[in-house]
Amino acid sequence: MGMSVTISAASAQDAEQILKLQYLCYQSEAELYGDYSIEPLTQTLDDLKAELGRGHALVARLGGEVVASVRGEADADGTARIARLIVHPRMRRHGLGGRLLDAIELQFATAKCFRLLAGHRSETSLNLYRKKGYEAVARERTTPSLTLITLEKAA
C-alpha cells in the first residue's frame, strides 16, 4: 500500500528540511538563469526560521519527508504575497504544486488579491500560475539574465 501526500502547516521543526528542499529545487532555476547566487540558494537557516515566524508556510509530506512547500505573507493593504512554491523533482507533474497553491490561498481567506513572482524563463511555474487564474501585471529586469514577472489574481 502506498503512502499519501498530506499538506499541513509548517513548523519551526520543518525549517531544515524546507531549506534542503529549497536548495535542491532552485538548482534548476539557477542553471536556467546562469546565476547560483540567487536568494533561495543563499538563504540561511536562521533567515528561513524568521520568515516562517512572520507568515504562513505549508509543507507537503510523504511519510515523514517534506516533499513540497510554499510560503506567504499578507500586507496591510490585503495583498497576500505567495513565495517559494517548491516541489521535490521526483514528485513533480502530479498536481502537488497546484494543491499547495490552492491551500496557501485558503490561508489568506480575507485577502483582496494574491501576488507572486516568477522568472521569465520558468515556463512550468508560469503555466501553473496562469492555469490557476493569475495574470501578469508587471515585469522587472533584475539582472542581465533575469526578468521577474509579477502575477496577480483577485481573491
Side-chain angles (χ1 to χ4, degrees):
M1 175 188 269
M3 290 186 280
S4 329
V5 173
T6 58
I7 295 174
S8 61
S11 69
Q13 290 77 21
D14 295 318
E16 191 170 335
Q17 281 193 69
I18 293 169
L19 190 62
K20 287 178 181 177
L21 180 63
Q22 177 176 298
Y23 188 81
L24 173 67
C25 291
Y26 275 91
Q27 293 297 314
S28 58
E29 290 291 300
E31 183 177 349
L32 190 60
Y33 296 102
D35 184 357
Y36 287 84
S37 67
I38 58 177
E39 198 272 338
L41 296 181
T42 60
Q43 186 173 31
T44 67
L45 185 57
D46 287 340
D47 289 342
L48 175 58
K49 286 178 180 178
E51 187 179 337
L52 293 176
R54 282 193 313 268
H56 291 283
L58 299 175
V59 292
R61 289 185 176 84
L62 183 62
E65 179 188 6
V66 172
V67 294
S69 182
V70 65
R71 292 172 243 172
E73 293 183 44
D75 65 21
D77 296 329
T79 299
R81 299 176 190 281
I82 298 170
R84 303 280 196 275
L85 176 59
I86 53 175
V87 177
H88 193 289
R90 77 172 190 277
M91 300 296 294
R92 292 179 183 159
R93 312 300 274 167
H94 297 288
L96 190 50
R99 285 179 54 201
L100 267 177
L101 188 56
D102 291 343
I104 197 72
E105 288 175 359
L106 287 174
Q107 295 293 308
F108 297 102
T110 60
K112 294 178 184 171
C113 81
F114 301 106
R115 180 177 298 150
L116 47 78
L117 302 172
H120 71 286
R121 294 182 189 154
S122 303
E123 282 303 318
T124 302
S125 298
L126 289 167
N127 287 336
L128 171 63
Y129 302 146
R130 288 183 195 117
K131 180 179 160 190
K132 291 292 185 175
Y134 286 81
E135 295 181 5
V137 296
R139 297 172 71 89
E140 178 186 1
R141 188 170 183 164
T142 58
T143 70
S145 63
L146 173 63
T147 299
L148 284 177
I149 300 172
T150 301
L151 298 105
E152 289 184 354
K153 87 172 186 181

